[in-house]
């Protein structure tokens, strides 16, 4: 179900703020997203919490968690939040940096495969972001690493940079784990599907799946056609080596991806940095 909220047309101000809407960027499960601008020409993306969720304490807490996380995780590879407030009616919102470019999902859809050198560099920068989140004062597990949430940002000046986005379903160490599944079935680690408490290794599993897909142009379990079969495969099925679909991939990378996709979290790379180091051995 798409989120609902006050309809703000291009050119109108967000109520009670100086932010002028440039255009709507769409609606998700938690809120509505607008491209905005504020004098003197400060661009951003404003995420407004969905009207029907504001009355639910759990959903408000999750929205606040996302703001809190993004405001604290200052890292070049994590999307930056620079404002937070509420509308006159109490609806919370936050404003993050405006990114220019496309997601890894867009790249795969356009190109089929990502050139290996680019795939390794995207993965390295993703892992830098994850290391920051996992080792923060209050550790954060993203829980929804997938091509849609990895943005290739082309700044006006400087080199393109990977930005990890959408911390809306993150697991925060100071919040109790309720045992429910959140995330995306196609990129969920076995322990995540079972409803166990996620760890850093949970995100590394998903990072391994993303690297596999960038190189092969498909995921290891794409031959399954519904989420129940995919989730069962994540738990039980040993994935075909990435070289099955991309025979040019070096043996060291084939072994690294297989390690990241181990069913037992303890058999995956020790942490995000250890994963990144093995990319360029």
């Amino acid at each position: 179900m798409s989120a609902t909220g006050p309809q703000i047309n291009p050119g109108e101000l967000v109520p009670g703020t100086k932010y002028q809407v440039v255009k709507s960027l769409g609606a998700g499960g938690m809120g509505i997203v607008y491209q905005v601008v504020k004098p003197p020409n400060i661009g951003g993306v404003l995420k407004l919490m969905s009207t029907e969720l504001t009355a639910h304490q759990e959903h408000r807490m999750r929205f606040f968690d996302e703001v809190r996380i993004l405001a604290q995780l200052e890292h070049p590879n994590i999307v930056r939040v620079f404002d937070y407030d509420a509308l006159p009616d109490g609806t919370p919102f936050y404003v993050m940096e405006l990114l220019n470019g496309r997601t890894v999902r867009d790249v795969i859809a356009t190109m089929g495969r990502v050139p290996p050198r680019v795939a390794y560099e995207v993965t390295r920068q993703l892992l830098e972001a994850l290391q920051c989140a996992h080792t923060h004062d209050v550790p954060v597990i993203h829980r929804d690493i997938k091509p849609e949430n990895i943005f290739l940002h082309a700044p006006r000046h400087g080199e393109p940079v990977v930005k990890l986005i959408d911390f809306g379903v993150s697991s925060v160490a100071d919040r109790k784990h309720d045992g429910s599944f959140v995330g995306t079935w196609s990129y969920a680690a076995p322990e995540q599907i079972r409803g166990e408490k996620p760890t850093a290794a949970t995100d590394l599993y998903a990072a391994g799946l993303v690297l596999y897909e960038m190189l092969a142009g498909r995921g290891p379990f794409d031959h399954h056609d519904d989420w129940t079969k995919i989730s069962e495969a994540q738990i039980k099925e040993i994935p075909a080596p990435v070289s099955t679909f991309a025979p040019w991939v070096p043996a060291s990378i084939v072994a690294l991806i297989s390690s990241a996709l181990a069913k037992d979290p303890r058999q995956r790379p020790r942490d995000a940095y250890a994963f990144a180091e093995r990319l360029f051995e």
Side-chain angles (χ1 to χ4, degrees), residues 171-242:
S171 171
V172 191
D174 60 4
R175 290 285 307 280
K176 188 173 182 291
H177 178 61
D178 62 8
S180 61
F181 173 81
V182 294
T184 303
W185 296 108
S186 298
Y187 299 91
E191 67 273 14
Q192 188 176 0
I193 291 170
R194 289 193 294 262
E196 297 168 9
K197 186 177 177 62
T199 66
T202 305
D203 282 345
L204 299 188
Y205 181 94
L209 285 172
V210 171
L211 177 55
Y212 189 117
E213 188 173 352
M214 285 194 289
L215 294 170
R218 53 157 290 160
F221 306 120
D222 282 4
H223 52 285
H224 295 296
D225 56 6
D226 67 64
W227 69 268
T228 54
K229 291 178 182 176
I230 290 172
S231 59
E232 188 173 336
Q234 301 280 30
I235 294 172
K236 298 179 180 178
E237 188 178 313
I238 302 301
V242 69

Side-chain angles (χ1 to χ4, degrees), residues 57-74:
Q57 181 63 19
E58 181 184 343
H59 292 302
R60 286 181 70 91
M61 283 292 290
R62 193 171 290 287
F63 192 86
F64 290 140
D65 268 348
E66 185 175 9
V67 180
R68 179 168 65 107
I69 291 163
L70 287 172
Q72 293 178 26
L73 296 180
E74 290 190 33

Side-chain angles (χ1 to χ4, degrees), residues 126-128 130-131 134 200 204 269-277:
L126 168 64
L127 292 166
E128 291 274 355
L130 289 176
Q131 184 73 11
H134 296 164
L204 299 188
R270 182 185 69 253
D271 55 26
Y273 273 172
F275 191 147
E277 284 173 2

